[in-house]
């Protein structure tokens, strides 16, 4: 068979991209099936929770302090095991951390004794990948997150925002199927934070893969997410689920001041107010 | 201090100076003070003793001490050359320090990493910790004889305990996020230990080593005071017995000198290895 004309193949690709854009139609990556967790059965933090993370989506967890957002993220990472229920990634049950599930913490997770380059390349030490390929990918992501020129620096020589860039790049460079981010930008100032959010969206565009994002900030949630889940207090589960549709490119700063953005924000604000 | 400098330079006082020259001047002043004051003390010492304000039996003059030192260099002390006294002392302390550090490091890593090993040795270390190592000295002589072994063993014990406790603390203090991040990047237990926990513990390990080395010098002198016929501690002991105060001071200065020298070497090494904290 002859190759299809160029225009047609582009059309096919773009129509595919549209399909992937809709989280409802893309493939499920992680499934939580009736998951309960707590340090004892009497004091549960999560109870009978059902949740799916779909391929390529950015899903944000919002909710009052202590509602179990971070616990949920740690469970998916494989740091804890659920008391009951099943957490699956693809067709395997999550039992321990694995490099197809990256994690970005709030801070303090960089290896202070390694340079920026070594930090970012750390994950490749445990992969059978040609040196040239891993070097190329490290190089590429360093340029993408604006760390060029700082390759040989150590974390103590970087600002807080730069350190988080390294942390994000280190997790992203190994192309995890899901990236779990636990309030990764909470400790940096507002201007830096907005820059980091925009870079994250650009990175996500390049390195496909789902992101589960935990935050306290409504604005951050709206700006980043395809889907926002508000968790209820006292392990009552999911309180609200909102799908976010904002014009592309999503990283455009204009989105922050658009009418739609405001509507989402108001909606979420009222929902969180209901929870008290 | 930087803040103070900046504040001062912000208000012009006569001649306006930029921050850099201000900081340079401050550095030079610090350097000058740190050299001039000790020098002044030495001069005062020499003057007061020369002028006969202090009984030379309590405090001999510096020049007399230097003369005694020179006599020791040329003729030796108590039938042994000064170099031999120095050499045997340093040999004792360095062998004990080295072996003690290796043992302390291994035990500390194991105790820091495995909670069951930590639990097994918890009571033992907690009981041993507050006991001054010198309390064991006669016991060690009883067990290992009056020769080299007992001296090295007591120094070794004292240093190993300190290195062990610091190593353990360093391992336990490794931030959880770093360990978990390494696991999520595909590292196994061994890799996490080698690439994350061990380097994270290094600053603490070096602190322990430096404390251990200074303690080791103290134990060395005490052990040599008690038994033996060679070494700087013996020299001090012998000089005191014969009221040779000049020789006593020579011994004291030599210990101070080699203690300081060893610490400087260790500090340079530590700053080289643990370079990522910024100094």
């Amino acid at each position: 068979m002859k190759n299809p004309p160029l225009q047609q193949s582009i059309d096919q690709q773009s129509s595919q991209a549209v399909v992937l854009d809709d989280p409802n139609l893309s493939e499920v990556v992680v499934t939580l099936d009736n998951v309960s967790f707590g340090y004892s059965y009497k004091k549960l933090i999560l109870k009978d929770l059902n949740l799916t993370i779909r391929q390529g989506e950015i899903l944000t967890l919002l909710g009052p302090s202590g509602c179990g957002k971070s616990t949920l993220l740690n469970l998916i990472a494989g740091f804890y095991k659920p008391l009951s229920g099943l957490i699956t990634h693809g067709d395997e049950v999550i039992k321990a951390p694995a490099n197809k599930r990256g994690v970005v913490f709030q801070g303090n997770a960089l290896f202070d004794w390694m340079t920026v380059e070594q930090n970012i390349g750390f994950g490749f030490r445990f992969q059978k990948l040609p040196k040239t390929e891993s070097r190329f990918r490290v190089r590429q992501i360093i340029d993408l997150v604006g760390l060029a020129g700082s390759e040989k620096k150590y974390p103590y020589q970087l600002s807080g925002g730069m350190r988080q860039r390294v942390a994000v790049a280190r997790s992203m460079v190994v192309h995890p199927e899901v990236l779990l981010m636990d309030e990764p930008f909470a400790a940096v100032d507002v201007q830096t934070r907005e820059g980091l959010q925009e870079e994250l969206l650009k990175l996500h565009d390049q390195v496909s893969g789902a992101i589960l994002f935990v935050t306290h900030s409504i604005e951050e949630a709206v700006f980043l997410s395809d889907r926002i889940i508000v968790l209820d207090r006292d392990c009552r589960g999911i309180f609200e689920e909102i799908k976010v549709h904002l014009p592309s490119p999503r990283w455009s700063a204009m989105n922050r001041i658009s009418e739609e953005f405001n509507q989402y924000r108001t909606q979420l604000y009222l929902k969180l107010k209901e929870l008290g | 201090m930087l803040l103070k400098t900046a504040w001062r330079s912000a208000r012009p006082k006569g001649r306006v100076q930029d921050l850099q020259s201000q900081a340079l001047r401050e550095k030079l002043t610090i350097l000058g003070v740190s050299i001039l004051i000790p020098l002044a003390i030495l001069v005062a010492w020499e003057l007061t003793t020369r002028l006969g304000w202090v009984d030379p039996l309590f405090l001999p003059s510096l020049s007399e001490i230097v003369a005694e030192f020179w006599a020791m260099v040329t003729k030796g002390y108590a039938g042994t050359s000064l170099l031999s006294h120095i050499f045997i002392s340093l040999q004792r302390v360095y062998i004990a320090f080295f072996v003690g550090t290796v043992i302390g490091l291994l035990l500390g890593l194991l105790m820091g990493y495995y909670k069951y090993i930590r639990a097994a040795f918890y009571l033992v270390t907690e009981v041993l910790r507050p006991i001054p190592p010198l309390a064991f000295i006669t016991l060690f002589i009883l067990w290992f004889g009056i020769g080299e072994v007992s001296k090295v063993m007591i120094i070794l014990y004292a240093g190993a305990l300190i290195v062990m406790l610091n190593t353990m603390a360093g391992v336990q203090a490794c931030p959880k996020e770093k360990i978990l991040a390494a696991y999520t990047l595909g590292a196994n237990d061994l890799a996490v230990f080698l690439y994350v926990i061990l380097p994270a513990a290094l600053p603490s390990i070096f602190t322990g080593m430096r404390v251990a080395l200074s303690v080791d010098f103290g134990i060395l002198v005490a052990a040599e005071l008690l038994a033996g016929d060679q070494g700087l501690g013996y020299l001090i002991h012998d000089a005191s017995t014969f009221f040779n105060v000049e020789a006593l001071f020579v011994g004291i200065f030599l210990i101070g000198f080699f203690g300081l020298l060893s610490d400087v070497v260790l500090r340079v090494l530590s700053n080289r290895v643990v370079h990522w904290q910024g100094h």
Side-chain angles (χ1 to χ4, degrees):
Chain A
M1 209 183 104
K2 272 189 171 179
N3 286 331
L6 187 63
Q7 190 53 49
Q8 199 188 324
S9 81
I10 289 172
D11 283 343
Q12 274 176 353
Q13 273 179 3
S14 56
S15 65
Q16 228 174 3
V18 170
V19 171
L20 283 175
D21 252 350
D22 189 346
N24 267 331
L25 295 175
S26 63
E27 215 177 299
V28 171
V29 189
V30 171
T31 313
L32 279 83
D33 190 9
N34 272 315
V35 169
S36 297
F37 180 79
Y39 295 98
S40 76
Y41 280 101
K42 282 179 191 158
K43 249 188 126 181
L44 288 177
I45 299 168
L46 297 169
K47 197 178 163 199
D48 299 330
L49 194 79
N50 292 297
L51 183 85
T52 52
I53 304 174
R54 290 171 180 277
Q55 197 175 21
E57 73 169 337
I58 300 184
L59 169 63
T60 295
L61 296 177
L62 265 178
S65 296
C67 70
K69 305 185 291 281
S70 289
T71 309
L72 184 57
L73 184 139
N74 286 327
L75 278 166
I76 297 172
F79 300 151
Y80 312 141
K81 279 175 197 143
L83 278 181
S84 65
L86 212 57
I87 308 178
T88 47
H89 183 167
D91 43 17
E92 77 184 74
V93 179
I94 294 173
K95 285 178 180 150
N99 62 0
K100 56 181 180 175
R101 289 183 298 278
V103 180
V104 178
F105 298 91
Q106 202 183 100
N108 212 16
L110 290 186
F111 306 133
D112 304 302
W113 42 93
M114 294 183 193
T115 60
V116 166
E117 225 170 28
Q118 290 168 332
N119 263 289
I120 295 176
F122 186 77
F124 289 126
R125 295 186 194 211
F126 315 106
Q127 289 188 2
K128 287 190 181 72
L129 209 66
K131 264 251 158 67
T132 46
E133 163 78 6
S134 62
R135 280 218 194 101
F136 173 73
R137 268 161 67 177
V138 169
R139 181 70 257 155
Q140 200 181 29
I141 207 152
I142 280 176
D143 289 336
L144 261 168
V145 296
L147 282 164
S150 299
E151 296 90 341
K152 306 286 182 209
K153 284 189 182 162
Y154 287 87
Y156 80 93
Q157 297 167 306
L158 303 175
S159 66
M162 285 296 212
R163 280 204 283 268
Q164 281 314 81
R165 281 192 180 88
V166 178
V168 173
R170 182 177 68 178
S171 297
M172 278 251 187
V173 80
V174 293
H175 298 175
E177 287 167 31
V178 190
L179 184 61
L180 308 162
M181 306 183 82
D182 193 358
E183 299 192 43
F185 309 143
V188 295
D189 63 89
V190 181
Q191 278 81 13
T192 311
R193 195 175 192 180
E194 292 187 350
L196 286 166
Q197 290 164 358
E198 285 152 29
E199 276 161 33
L200 178 68
L201 288 174
K202 286 179 195 165
L203 269 177
H204 177 250
D205 209 48
Q206 301 260 334
V207 186
S208 54
I211 294 177
L212 178 72
F213 200 97
V214 168
T215 182
H216 271 113
S217 157
I218 294 173
E219 285 81 5
E220 188 164 65
V222 176
F223 187 68
L224 292 175
S225 314
D226 299 313
R227 196 151 65 98
I228 299 171
I229 284 179
V230 180
L231 284 183
D232 203 342
R233 281 188 185 284
D234 306 318
C235 57
R236 279 190 294 259
I238 294 171
F239 182 68
E240 180 73 25
E241 181 180 333
I242 293 173
K243 291 199 176 68
V244 180
H245 299 285
L246 288 171
S248 345
R250 279 297 299 264
W251 56 81
S252 161
M254 293 311 284
N255 273 338
R256 293 185 194 277
I257 46 171
S258 70
E259 195 53 46
E260 296 113 298
F261 188 90
N262 246 331
Q263 277 165 8
Y264 286 121
R265 184 169 56 187
T266 312
Q267 189 184 355
L268 281 162
Y269 180 80
L270 294 174
K271 281 290 164 197
L272 283 166
K273 208 71 185 169
E274 259 179 71
L275 285 173
Chain B
M1 202 149 61
L2 194 73
L3 198 75
K4 211 172 162 189
T5 321
W7 176 76
R8 250 197 247 142
S9 70
R11 7 171 53 220
K13 254 194 305 182
R15 210 152 41 98
V16 182
Q17 271 188 324
D18 60 289
L19 259 174
Q20 228 171 359
S21 70
Q22 184 82 255
L24 183 73
R25 221 177 51 174
E26 206 170 74
K27 258 186 195 162
L28 284 176
T29 313
I30 287 171
L31 188 73
V33 168
S34 64
I35 291 171
L36 282 178
I37 293 300
L39 218 72
I41 292 172
L42 290 181
V43 169
W45 181 348
E46 183 65 13
L47 278 178
T48 48
T49 46
R50 273 293 182 86
L51 294 172
W53 295 352
V54 184
D55 188 336
L57 185 65
F58 299 130
L59 190 65
S61 74
L62 268 182
S63 44
E64 281 169 318
I65 295 170
V66 173
E68 174 66 29
F69 171 68
W70 188 245
M72 278 190 200
V73 170
T74 49
K75 288 181 232 138
Y77 185 87
T80 312
S81 75
L82 187 62
L83 265 181
S84 301
H85 281 300
I86 293 171
F87 181 75
I88 194 118
S89 281
L90 292 184
Q91 194 182 32
R92 282 169 186 152
V93 89
Y94 290 149
I95 289 175
F97 172 70
F98 181 75
V99 179
T101 297
V102 171
I103 293 173
L105 191 67
L106 290 176
L107 284 176
L109 290 176
L110 286 172
M111 285 179 69
Y113 192 76
Y114 294 106
K115 57 181 174 224
Y116 296 117
I117 296 183
R118 186 158 65 241
F121 287 101
Y122 176 76
L123 272 179
V124 181
T125 51
E126 284 304 300
V127 169
L128 286 180
R129 195 148 63 145
I131 304 174
L134 284 175
F136 294 111
I137 202 156
T138 41
L139 201 60
F140 272 53
I141 291 174
L142 190 70
W143 288 345
F144 302 110
I146 200 137
E148 286 307 295
V149 183
S150 63
K151 287 189 193 66
V152 170
M153 288 302 267
I154 190 90
I155 302 169
L156 190 156
Y157 160 76
L161 191 67
I162 294 168
V163 173
M164 185 192 86
L165 290 168
N166 276 278
T167 305
M168 184 176 82
V171 169
Q172 285 184 275
C174 178
K176 215 178 164 194
E177 293 93 339
K178 295 191 203 296
I179 296 172
L180 292 177
Y183 278 119
T184 62
L185 289 164
N188 58 18
D189 291 343
L190 181 68
V192 167
F193 185 80
L194 287 179
Y195 298 134
V196 181
I197 294 172
L198 188 61
L202 274 177
S204 189
I205 291 171
F206 271 103
T207 307
M209 282 168 70
R210 282 184 60 198
V211 176
L213 188 61
S214 67
V215 167
D216 281 355
F217 267 91
I219 307 283
L220 166 85
V221 174
E224 288 181 339
L225 280 174
L226 267 167
D229 55 3
Q230 271 185 343
L232 292 172
Y234 163 76
L235 193 152
I236 289 173
H237 173 68
D238 191 71
S240 335
T241 323
F242 294 101
F243 265 131
N244 186 349
V245 190
E246 289 84 4
L248 183 67
F249 269 99
V250 172
I252 290 170
F253 274 130
L254 283 173
I255 285 160
F257 174 74
F258 286 107
L260 178 69
L261 193 71
S262 312
D263 188 58
V264 167
V265 170
L266 204 53
R267 197 158 57 191
V268 169
L269 184 73
S270 162
N271 287 348
R272 275 281 169 82
V273 178
V274 189
H275 57 83
W276 58 80
Q277 294 182 313
H279 294 283

